[in-house]
Amino acid sequence: MQFDISGGIEPVRIFAEEIKGFEYIGDSQLSDGRRLSSVEDAAPDGGQAIFDTVETDENGESMSENGEYACNCTSTNGESLCTAGKGDMCDCVGQFGNFYSEPGATENPQQLLNLDALPENLPLVECSPACTCYDQCAKKVTQGGVCVPLSVRRAAYGLGLFYTPQEPLVLPKGTFLSLYAGEYLTQSEAHSRWSAISVKDKEKGRGNYTLSLRTPGQTIHIDPRWKGNVGRFLNHSCEPNCVLHYVRWGIGRGWARVAIFTNRNIRPEEELTFDYANASGQCQLTDQLLEESTTSTERTRCLCGTNRCRGWMPFDEYL
């Protein structure tokens, strides 16, 4: 029996069969159950809120009460705020750019990310929840939840995530699909969970859903096995149609998130995949992870079946 796996959390229904023991969450949490938006990034055992009200510093720039960088864009005529062409009017765009298309600029209702223009190895920085632009902002794409029709179905091996529109519409390159949500783990927690998986499951590529996102100066381990969202169901492919980028909702003490975008046009009923060896979009890490995969005793054979299949799943030595 098919039902909305998100339980109404997402703007659109995501159909799937019942998955026992799985709790759907719209945004990531710490392993103790606290939401990312309620704790500081530098202190997992803290409890101070990240985003509060907006103030202006001595130079006239917008800051939240705890130092979060924010713009103070407002509109009285309903126009889109914080667009790429308004860098002289929006502090956030002026500082960090806007690599999204303007609302209504294409026939597709979704704003598209210009993947070719996005600087490599740098985070995608959106306006923060502390900004005054609110729902009129053109720079908060990943904060609105899943807006694309998706379904969890049986794939060649296990479950997979599919693009399932009611109308035969192609999903354009650069479309935001979802966050990769789960439990944020320390390295020791991630290693402990990996060690607890049986050898048999490891050999068959089952049980480990942890994404180790390597960002400059930090590695974030995200485990969506028991708590997560649709990102959990994207399978690996050596020739993927999606890519992951880490995104920050403002610059300050907030946690980085991981966002999933299409890297080419997607046909209706097509399965969505990403390359586990290059999940963070940092190309220089791919060869390193693949080398670790061929030397590790815990490697798993790849079954993606594409023409570019490397033969082995990437293995992250951090685990």
Side-chain angles (χ1 to χ4, degrees):
M1 180 179 179
Q2 297 279 312
F3 72 106
D4 179 10
I5 192 176
S6 80
I9 291 177
E10 303 291 4
V12 299
R13 291 186 293 177
I14 302 168
F15 291 103
E17 297 179 359
E18 182 180 3
I19 302 172
K20 295 182 179 180
F22 177 69
E23 177 184 347
Y24 195 99
I25 54 177
D27 192 10
S28 293
Q29 302 177 356
L30 299 185
S31 58
D32 61 9
R34 287 177 294 165
R35 296 179 299 172
L36 296 190
S37 58
S38 66
V39 292
E40 297 181 9
D41 61 343
D45 56 348
Q48 182 176 341
I50 294 175
F51 303 117
D52 297 299
T53 58
V54 176
E55 294 183 346
T56 303
D57 67 11
E58 59 184 6
N59 297 319
E61 293 183 335
S62 300
M63 305 289 290
S64 69
E65 288 182 346
N66 61 5
E68 177 73 24
Y69 193 93
C71 71
N72 55 9
C73 299
T74 58
S75 173
T76 57
N77 59 9
E79 66 176 344
S80 297
L81 300 173
C82 314
T83 61
K86 295 182 178 179
D88 58 338
M89 301 170 61
C90 174
D91 292 335
C92 289
V93 176
Q95 287 288 329
F96 313 115
N98 186 345
F99 299 96
Y100 294 117
S101 62
E102 293 193 20
T106 65
E107 295 181 358
N108 190 280
Q110 307 296 325
Q111 289 180 255
L112 305 180
L113 178 64
N114 188 340
L115 294 168
D116 298 325
L118 189 66
E120 188 175 342
N121 302 333
L122 292 178
L124 175 64
V125 181
E126 296 188 341
C127 284
S128 83
C131 295
T132 59
C133 43
Y134 303 121
D135 293 340
Q136 293 171 264
C137 182
K139 194 173 161 62
K140 290 184 178 178
V141 172
T142 68
Q143 300 173 45
V146 177
C147 297
V148 173
L150 304 173
S151 298
V152 178
R153 296 178 176 176
R154 289 289 170 184
Y157 299 94
L159 296 175
L161 187 66
F162 293 79
Y163 169 52
T164 54
Q166 292 185 343
E167 302 293 334
L169 301 175
V170 172
L171 196 63
K173 174 183 177 180
T175 300
F176 169 67
L177 296 176
S178 169
L179 295 175
Y180 192 91
E183 295 179 274
Y184 274 34
L185 308 178
T186 64
Q187 184 171 335
S188 60
E189 288 175 328
H191 180 74
S192 177
R193 292 194 183 188
W194 170 251
S195 300
I197 299 172
S198 69
V199 174
K200 183 177 181 180
D201 280 345
K202 288 179 181 178
E203 290 175 347
K204 294 184 178 181
R206 298 185 308 205
N208 180 34
Y209 297 87
T210 302
L211 172 71
S212 296
L213 177 69
R214 302 184 188 184
T215 65
Q218 184 183 35
T219 297
I220 300 172
H221 304 284
I222 309 174
D223 182 5
R225 184 179 187 183
W226 304 119
K227 291 183 178 181
N229 67 349
V230 293
R232 174 190 189 271
F233 302 100
L234 270 80
N235 287 316
H236 164 78
S237 175
C238 296
E239 196 171 351
N241 52 23
C242 297
V243 65
L244 274 61
H245 283 285
Y246 74 101
V247 58
R248 300 196 70 93
W249 296 351
I251 291 295
R253 291 178 291 178
W255 291 84
R257 269 82 170 175
V258 179
I260 307 167
F261 296 88
T262 58
N263 65 7
R264 62 168 174 79
N265 292 346
I266 307 296
R267 301 183 305 274
E269 305 299 324
E270 188 173 352
E271 184 180 2
L272 302 165
T273 60
F274 71 94
D275 185 351
Y276 291 5
N278 190 22
S280 62
Q282 300 185 55
C283 299
Q284 74 273 20
L285 293 178
T286 303
D287 292 340
Q288 178 183 341
L289 287 175
L290 292 176
E291 182 178 352
E292 293 167 4
S293 303
T294 57
T295 58
S296 171
T297 58
E298 298 185 90
R299 62 183 181 176
T300 302
R301 187 171 296 280
C302 179
L303 302 174
C304 74
T306 64
N307 293 332
R308 298 181 182 179
C309 182
R310 307 183 189 104
W312 297 100
M313 295 282 284
F315 177 78
D316 197 329
E317 64 178 0
Y318 276 79
L319 299 180

